[in-house]
Amino acid sequence: MSGDAPAAAQPVAVTAAAVLSPLGDRLDGFTAALLAGRSAVRMPSGDADGPAEGWPLPVAALDDFVLGSWAERHLAGSPDTAALLRRVAGRAALPARTAACVALRAVLDAGLEPGGGWGEETALLVAGSNLALAHQAATVLGHHAAPGRLRASYALTHLDVDAVGAVSEVTGVRGEGWTVGGASASGTIALLQGARMIASGWARRVLVVAPAAELSPVEAEAFRRTGAMAHGALRGTPERMCRPFDRDRQGFVRGEAAAAVVLESAAAARSRGAEVLAEVAGHGQRLDARRGTEPDARGQAAAMRAALRSAGLTAEEVDYVNAHGTGSVLGDEVEAASLREVFGERPSLRINSTKPLTGHCLSAAGLVEAVAVIGQLRAGSAHPNPNLDHPVDPGLPLVGTRAERHPMRTALSNSFAFGGVNASVVLRLPGTARAAAPAHPNPDHT
């Protein structure tokens, strides 16, 4: 089919996977929290008044994130880099601040020195558009109340490319760079575009960053009015409000998180002795050819099949699927149908959704979940679907309410967005040989 990426002769190596989340700001801690089934979803503290009945809305928020404190923890041995981070991003909007921090973490984890010569041959992709909506709304209201106090810097801070500039300056990346927008699929599309750049030879290395996206009360209320957001039942136990693939699901819960990965050609990773955490083996992206919010199983299945073809895999060779799984009343039903269409009856497959634990991180969701996939592949365990009491499709091989030990080498991660944008990516452990699947001596892992 036209548009499919051919199977790459050489895999695209992931040499760093960083996250900034309420569940943790290092890969190992984030993975441990996921496997423990720990949810970051809470009701907001402080003044919870909102514009309509049903407020306040639950959220997995970065309430404890302070750039200076993050710098003290992560850059204690690099005072010059910490000072640069504070100067460049200290007064930026939340998306640019989180992007700069998580990008630095990824660069350091990849064994690269911020500002080093490697940046000349490295490209930068920042996932998302309309990132700083809360910042924009607050500035507009402030300007209306006191026009003379408007900061000239707003000319920059309202732009998505502020995150590009902030990341570029603190890391020293000087190759190509731009933002990649695709609503809730932005993170996955940025990841697959980075892999394409490596496979095509356009770049030796790509830093892919998904900043934390923020909504103003206006966008949040619009989501609520469409019926897409959970807001009614279980308000006393907000961590149970996001219920992907459960009969009693009521919508998504918003999350705030950022993620970053370093992609390299296998040759580039080998030449500097870098550890390869995982490989991007394939990817697919398809449109539904219609405007709106309703999902389409045909487009979703087409994206998954395109990803499998580009990886040279059959559906039977996939061990695990990280579903888009938002908890949407219609969306989960459609995704369940598309998963059945692609994978059929596969008792050995495992499917989960990360969103009950992290919330729906909007444009960052796809990359945050790709990091979650890498963590689970390396741990050999799939995190629970903690709120799955009554599966909407009992035939789907969904992980239960406890984590499961599961032999996994190859995973598929889905992101399906408003506007009919569907994207899937295949991630696998390093190496092409597939070991025989071991038995399940202890299927439950806690």
Side-chain angles (χ1 to χ4, degrees), residues 223-376:
F223 276 127
R224 191 192 71 80
R225 292 189 183 194
T226 67
M229 247 181 180
H231 67 276
L234 300 171
R235 293 176 66 81
T237 52
E239 69 278 3
R240 293 187 55 77
M241 290 179 75
C242 183
R243 312 180 65 80
F245 301 111
D246 188 76
R247 183 187 64 199
D248 299 322
R249 65 198 183 278
Q250 56 176 322
F252 78 86
V253 171
R254 184 172 65 88
E256 291 178 347
V261 298
V262 175
L263 304 179
E264 305 187 52
S265 68
R270 280 196 306 268
S271 69
R272 64 186 192 87
E275 178 186 9
V276 177
L277 303 180
E279 297 168 351
V280 180
H283 38 75
Q285 202 255 312
R286 291 290 183 272
L287 299 176
D288 291 338
R290 67 180 183 186
R291 173 180 181 261
T293 63
E294 283 194 15
D296 185 345
R298 177 184 175 187
Q300 294 178 3
M304 287 188 270
R305 287 182 170 134
L308 294 175
R309 279 195 298 271
S310 76
L313 296 173
T314 65
E316 289 71 26
E317 293 176 285
V318 174
D319 305 309
Y320 159 60
V321 175
N322 188 288
H324 182 60
T326 65
S328 161
V329 175
L330 178 60
D332 286 7
E333 181 180 339
V334 171
E335 187 173 7
S338 67
L339 288 167
R340 266 193 171 274
E341 180 180 337
V342 173
F343 293 100
E345 295 284 346
R346 282 278 315 281
S348 61
L349 185 68
R350 289 295 180 273
I351 302 171
N352 64 14
S353 168
T354 303
K355 291 180 176 71
L357 306 176
T358 61
H360 185 346
C361 299
L362 306 174
S363 54
L367 200 62
V368 170
E369 289 159 20
V371 173
V373 168
I374 291 169
Q376 291 172 89

Side-chain angles (χ1 to χ4, degrees), residues 77-137:
S78 305
D80 291 344
T81 301
L84 176 63
L85 174 65
R86 291 188 182 96
R87 179 178 62 78
V88 171
R91 299 184 71 177
L94 178 69
R97 294 200 313 271
T98 58
C101 290
V102 79
L104 272 174
R105 184 67 265 164
V107 165
L108 293 169
D109 287 349
L112 301 168
E113 181 68 26
W118 59 272
E120 301 289 343
E121 54 186 7
T122 299
L124 170 62
L125 300 182
V126 172
S129 50
N130 308 310
L131 294 170
L133 294 173
H135 172 68
Q136 292 181 36

